[in-house]
Structure formats: C-alpha cells, structure tokens
Amino acid sequence: MRITQSMLSTQSLRNLNTSYGRMGTLQEQLATGKKINRPSDDPVVAMKGMFYRSNLAEVDQFKRNLSELYMWMENSEAGIEQATNGLERVRELVIQGKNGTLTAEDRSVIAKEIEQIEQDIAQIANTKMAGRYIFHGTNVDKPVVTDTTTNPVTLSNDILTNNTAISEYNVEVSQGVFLKANVNPMNTFNQDLFSNLNAIKQAFENDDMSTMDTLLEDLDSVVSTLQAERSELGARYNRLEMVDNRLGQQEVISTRVLSDNEDAEIERVITDLKTQESIHRAALSVGARIMQPTLMDFLR
C-alpha cells in the first residue's frame, strides 16, 4: 500500500489528539483527586461509589439522631435529678415538721417552701428542648402540666388517664434499630407526685400532722419510682454510647472504602502524567519531521 503525505499527517494528528486526551484525563484526576469524574469514565466504579456514598450518608444521619438522643437523655436526667433533690428537701421538711417542737407559724412557713418546690417541679415537668416537651412521651407538642394555679396542679389527660400509647419516643440509631429517648411520663411527673406534695402542703397549712406518716411513705414511694426511672435512663445512656462508638467505626470504614474506590493515587497520576508528557513531546518531534512544509525541506 502506498503511504501518502496526507495519510501520515492524518495519522499524526490522530495520535496527537489521543495524547492530548490522555494528558487531559490525568490533569483532571490531579485537579479533582478522583479516579473518575463522570460515570462514563468507569461505570462500575461510579455505581459502587453511589452505593458507598449512600452508606456513608446513612451513618451521618444516624449520628445526627444520636445527638438528639444525647440531648433528650441528658436533659431528662438533669430534670429528674433536680426534681429528686426537691423531693428530698420536702422529706427533710416533713421530718422536721413532725417532731412536735414547731409552732403553727413554723409549719405555715414550711408549707410555703413546699409550695415553691411543687411549682419548681411543675416547671421541670414542662421542660422543652428544641421546641418539644421531653417529659410527655410522644406528645411532644403539649405540656405535662396544663395549669399550675390549681391544687394540685392540673396534668394533661394523657397522664391522668395513663395513656401508655404515648410512653415511648423512639429514635432510629441504626438500620431497623430504635432506642427510646425519653423517660416514662407515667412514672415521673404523674398525679401521685403532685397529689402527694399538695397533701403534705395542706397538712402543714392546717397544722395537722395526723396523716404525715402515711404521706411520708407515699413520698418515699414517689422518690423510689423516680430513681428507678433514672437508673433505667442511665442504662440506656450506656447503650447509646456503645452505639455511638460503633457508628464512629462504621464511618471510618465507609470513608476508607469510598476513598479506595474513587480517590486517585496522586503519586501514580503524576508519574503517568510525566510519562505521557514525554511521549507527547516525542510524537510532536516525529510529526514535525515527517510533515515537511516545503519542497526545499525534502532537498536538504
């Protein structure tokens, strides 16, 4: 077959274009740090990248859910602790008021302090975090105590009717795994607690110590129930920390797998680029020799 000058020129240009394309691909990999920059570069890598990225996004979402759980549990624990301290103070006042050495005026002062503790506990029961009531189960948009001016304070119908359907506010912490965020509203700021406080307060107001022993037993029962709920909350908090550690490990693994799949090896890309540049310069040099511009060049 006869090889013409036109055929040599066309072939040379095609080779140079291919060389430019390879250098362009390598430069793009260096600029982005990625093996591929569009699905057509490598459909298999692109498909796996979508799957790995989806897993990583899922882990990120579960970690955000954990942050919400931490907020609920830590604030719930702080609220129960404050309420328990208030009830312990009431217990001290009851024991102090029972000893028979106090006057009616002294007991009246104790009644006023108990009233303030009752109001403080009512405020704790209506604690809101991020616009949601944390002691009202799933009924997060309504307060536990609806009226603090009554004796005892008025609670929501869910608490009064022991509506267990609202008792668990669950948050997903892993695929198909849910963790309860709240304390049981029926075992914390319930009717027994506020009725007991109100009865103690009225006994001091009326200077009537005849039922104080029974009220003290009821108070101990309320405190015991609160402490049991706090212990159960602590156990769930420990599990939450374990889930947090596991998600942290999953995040590291998912990030590494995604990097192995998509990220370019910079050292290798630079080496390939330098090699391609040498090949390109050689191709330009050879092309200049075989595509002589004038007849005089053939005669040299």
Side-chain angles (χ1 to χ4, degrees), residues 186-212:
M186 315 307 166
N187 294 336
T188 47
F189 303 102
N190 52 23
Q191 188 65 47
D192 290 342
L193 185 154
F194 289 105
S195 294
N196 181 252
L197 286 178
N198 189 64
I200 293 173
K201 182 186 67 176
Q202 288 184 342
F204 277 112
E205 287 175 343
N206 299 328
D207 197 20
D208 180 9
M209 297 295 103
S210 61
T211 59
M212 199 55 77

Side-chain angles (χ1 to χ4, degrees), residues 12 15-16 19 277-289:
S12 179
N15 291 337
L16 288 174
S19 179
E277 285 176 351
S278 299
I279 295 172
H280 188 73
R281 280 196 293 269
L284 285 173
S285 177
V286 172
R289 288 178 179 276

Side-chain angles (χ1 to χ4, degrees), residues 124-143:
I124 297 171
N126 284 346
T127 300
K128 291 178 74 174
M129 296 301 303
R132 288 170 290 181
Y133 293 95
I134 64 173
F135 289 113
H136 206 185
T138 58
N139 213 351
V140 294
D141 58 342
K142 295 180 181 176

Side-chain angles (χ1 to χ4, degrees), residues 51-86:
F51 177 73
Y52 297 146
R53 197 170 286 105
S54 176
N55 283 347
L56 190 58
E58 194 176 59
V59 171
D60 286 342
Q61 180 58 54
F62 288 141
K63 287 179 74 69
R64 286 193 289 272
N65 292 351
L66 288 186
S67 297
E68 183 173 0
L69 278 167
Y70 276 122
M71 180 191 73
W72 274 73
M73 290 187 181
E74 288 171 358
N75 283 283
S76 297
E77 202 274 341
I80 291 177
E81 181 182 14
Q82 186 177 346
T84 303
N85 291 339

Side-chain angles (χ1 to χ4, degrees), residues 108-133:
S108 176
V109 172
I110 290 176
K112 292 184 182 303
E113 182 173 349
I114 293 175
E115 182 180 9
Q116 293 303 311
I117 294 174
E118 181 184 12
Q119 292 295 317
D120 183 59
I121 293 177
Q123 288 184 342
I124 297 171
N126 284 346
T127 300
K128 291 178 74 174
M129 296 301 303
R132 288 170 290 181
Y133 293 95

Side-chain angles (χ1 to χ4, degrees), residues 98-293:
K98 280 175 54 183
N99 62 19
T101 61
L102 299 182
T103 63
E105 288 75 15
D106 294 334
R107 294 193 174 102
S108 176
V109 172
I110 290 176
K112 292 184 182 303
E113 182 173 349
I114 293 175
E115 182 180 9
Q116 293 303 311
I117 294 174
E118 181 184 12
Q119 292 295 317
D120 183 59
I121 293 177
Q123 288 184 342
I124 297 171
N126 284 346
T127 300
K128 291 178 74 174
M129 296 301 303
R132 288 170 290 181
Y133 293 95
I134 64 173
F135 289 113
H136 206 185
T138 58
N139 213 351
V140 294
D141 58 342
K142 295 180 181 176
V144 174
V145 178
T146 57
D147 189 353
T148 59
T149 61
T150 58
N151 289 313
V153 297
T154 303
L155 301 179
S156 71
N157 287 332
D158 292 318
I159 303 298
L160 294 175
T161 58
N162 194 29
N163 183 11
T164 56
I166 67 161
S167 61
E168 293 193 6
Y169 184 86
N170 295 316
V171 177
E172 190 174 16
V173 296
S174 186
Q175 189 70 39
V177 178
F178 293 83
L179 197 59
K180 183 181 173 184
N182 64 314
V183 293
N184 191 334
M186 315 307 166
N187 294 336
T188 47
F189 303 102
N190 52 23
Q191 188 65 47
D192 290 342
L193 185 154
F194 289 105
S195 294
N196 181 252
L197 286 178
N198 189 64
I200 293 173
K201 182 186 67 176
Q202 288 184 342
F204 277 112
E205 287 175 343
N206 299 328
D207 197 20
D208 180 9
M209 297 295 103
S210 61
T211 59
M212 199 55 77
D213 288 336
T214 302
L215 293 175
L216 186 59
E217 291 178 1
D218 293 342
L219 180 63
D220 288 341
S221 176
V222 168
V223 173
S224 177
T225 302
L226 269 180
Q227 290 176 339
E229 199 64 29
R230 187 179 179 184
S231 299
E232 195 268 343
L233 179 65
R236 275 189 282 122
Y237 191 89
N238 291 337
R239 182 186 173 191
L240 178 63
E241 289 182 324
M242 288 190 287
V243 173
D244 193 6
N245 290 334
R246 183 163 52 83
L247 283 178
Q249 293 173 351
Q250 287 183 350
E251 184 178 28
V252 171
I253 294 172
S254 298
T255 303
R256 188 191 66 199
V257 171
L258 182 63
S259 176
D260 292 343
N261 183 66
E262 293 184 350
D263 290 350
E265 297 180 31
I266 301 302
E267 298 84 355
R268 181 174 181 177
V269 174
I270 291 175
T271 303
D272 291 345
L273 180 60
K274 288 296 182 184
T275 303
Q276 190 59 43
E277 285 176 351
S278 299
I279 295 172
H280 188 73
R281 280 196 293 269
L284 285 173
S285 177
V286 172
R289 288 178 179 276
I290 64 175
M291 291 185 293
Q292 300 295 339

